[in-house]
Amino acid sequence: MACLCCGAGSEVGSLCRSCAGDVPPCDGLIQDHVRSTVAAVDAEAWLVDGFGAPHALAAKSMIGRNHEGQIVVLAASVSREHAELKQSESGWVVRDLGSRNGTFVDGVKCQGRVTLPPRAILKIGDVPMWFLAAVVDEPAPPPTMETQTAGGGLVRYAITATGASELCLVGGSETTTGGALLARPAGTTAWKEHALAPLEFQLLRTLCARAHAEADSPAAARGCVATKQLARDLPWQSKYANEENVRQVVRRLRGALAEAGADGILAVVPGRGYYMSCSVTITGAPPR
């Protein structure tokens, strides 16, 4: 595979070693901290981080710690709504949104709207990335999982909560893929699918499996999984994941559960770990 930036052989993800060296990850950043909410097929341009991971840009993309933005960057130097990239008839422009630590294009701090060259180093706070209006080769699509139905031999967990929704977690036996949370409001027949990224899906899958296994335990926090175990066992793309990384994934998962009408079912034992505060039943083949 060729480097997305220069066309040389890729060595660090989708970048060659030289291009990756121009955008080194800042201290404390791991690959799971940067993600795009834009589908690759809808990409108008790309950001490529120092791990060599490409992130699709929409014609108008917000960058920051806000999980509802198009490019989510979970770094202390990045503001919640840090910068905006926008495609215009004359090209791409970037605008800093009053961030604490600034936005830079090829080392120059942005003041107002700044035109982006087709190939530039965009630095968001302390996080540098390549901005590529076009790439040498289209990035390979990330692994996906079919979640259109709850059949097909997929693992299914029925989640019984006290809210208004009936919930079903759908996924496969793989340990590095995403899945879906299906929600069916009371009194309806249609399921609504909420896609879960790999880390959020595998966290919920782990908690559901433990809740099912310890269903007969008299403990109030039955099915609790230690935070240290989650930091060790979840399919992180970095070997340096820690308990703070687990807490970040928990926050994202809680947001997805709230959107599905199941706010509050992911509980915590302070200083110990997390558990499901509701009953869970395996309705498909058990995980291996």
Side-chain angles (χ1 to χ4, degrees), residues 29-240:
L29 191 73
I30 63 174
Q31 189 166 351
D32 303 286
H33 286 166
V34 186
R35 63 186 177 90
S36 173
T37 61
V38 180
V41 295
D42 297 326
E44 298 292 342
W46 298 88
L47 289 179
V48 186
D49 62 35
F51 303 101
H55 306 284
L57 288 169
K60 182 179 180 181
S61 292
M62 186 81 69
I63 305 176
R65 289 187 289 105
N66 187 346
H67 293 290
E68 296 180 0
Q70 286 69 41
I71 301 293
V72 182
V73 183
L74 303 177
S77 64
V78 176
S79 299
R80 179 174 171 80
E81 294 182 349
H82 195 107
E84 179 188 74
L85 272 69
K86 190 173 182 179
Q87 188 179 33
S88 66
E89 293 182 359
S90 58
W92 284 83
V93 295
V94 60
R95 178 170 65 97
D96 186 84
L97 300 176
S99 68
R100 295 190 314 274
N101 297 299
T103 302
F104 302 80
V105 175
D106 289 333
V108 179
K109 189 173 184 179
C110 294
Q111 302 290 341
R113 287 180 172 82
V114 175
T115 299
L116 276 168
R119 180 175 178 267
I121 294 178
L122 178 67
K123 190 176 182 184
I124 306 297
D126 293 336
V127 182
M129 292 180 278
W130 281 106
F131 165 79
L132 303 174
V135 292
V136 176
D137 292 314
E138 285 297 315
T144 58
M145 165 173 284
E146 185 62 39
T147 57
Q148 292 181 352
T149 70
L154 298 177
V155 174
R156 291 173 287 164
Y157 292 95
I159 303 171
T160 305
T162 57
S165 291
E166 181 182 356
L167 302 172
C168 184
L169 180 66
V170 183
S173 59
E174 297 88 348
T175 59
T176 58
T177 56
L181 182 65
L182 307 180
R184 182 165 61 184
T188 66
T189 58
W191 291 92
K192 182 177 180 182
E193 179 175 327
H194 302 266
L196 295 177
L199 284 171
E200 288 78 26
F201 170 70
Q202 296 299 340
L203 170 59
L204 185 54
R205 181 175 182 263
T206 298
L207 297 179
C208 283
R210 182 68 65 84
H212 175 76
E214 299 184 9
D216 296 330
S217 170
R222 61 180 177 271
C224 185
V225 181
T227 308
K228 289 183 178 179
Q229 179 183 340
L230 294 170
R232 183 182 68 245
D233 294 345
L234 288 179
W236 308 96
Q237 298 184 52
S238 168
K239 62 182 179 180
Y240 301 112

Side-chain angles (χ1 to χ4, degrees), residues 10-29:
S10 60
E11 300 175 86
V12 181
S14 58
L15 294 176
C16 68
R17 193 165 301 278
S18 176
C19 290
D22 289 333
V23 289
C26 65
D27 289 344
L29 191 73

